[in-house]
Amino acid sequence: EDEDAEIFRWAGEAREGAVLAVATKLDKLPKAKQKPAVAAIAKRLELPVARVLGTSSSTGQGVEALVTEIRSAVRGWAP
């Protein structure tokens, strides 16, 4: 976990803060615990909650939002 947080801090500095964390397998948690879990991940990684996206490949939850974020990032990316 400490290593994950360090990687996210480094990536945020390299991309001027444009980092998106993706929390997978969100369907494994009860609905009532999903938002608090995403918020806890954001806090741990020192990211705004809006930069942590909960997803589930089983239910499709969050997948469309993830695709939108990726497309947006690719359009704005220049090496």
Side-chain angles (χ1 to χ4, degrees):
E1 289 182 8
D2 290 334
E3 193 173 292
D4 292 341
E6 186 176 331
I7 289 169
F8 269 88
R9 279 192 291 279
W10 174 83
E13 291 168 7
R15 290 277 294 150
E16 300 175 7
V19 173
L20 178 69
V22 180
T24 61
K25 301 189 185 303
L26 202 60
D27 60 292
K28 302 293 182 188
L29 294 174
K31 287 270 189 205
K33 293 188 176 187
Q34 292 177 2
K35 283 186 181 182
V38 169
I41 291 168
K43 183 177 180 181
R44 177 72 183 104
L45 296 176
E46 299 176 9
L47 292 171
V49 174
R51 300 307 302 161
V52 179
L53 184 61
T55 65
S56 167
S57 62
S58 296
T59 67
Q61 181 180 356
V63 173
E64 187 174 328
L66 176 57
V67 170
T68 299
E69 287 286 342
I70 292 169
R71 284 184 178 148
S72 177
V74 170
R75 274 194 298 267
W77 182 72

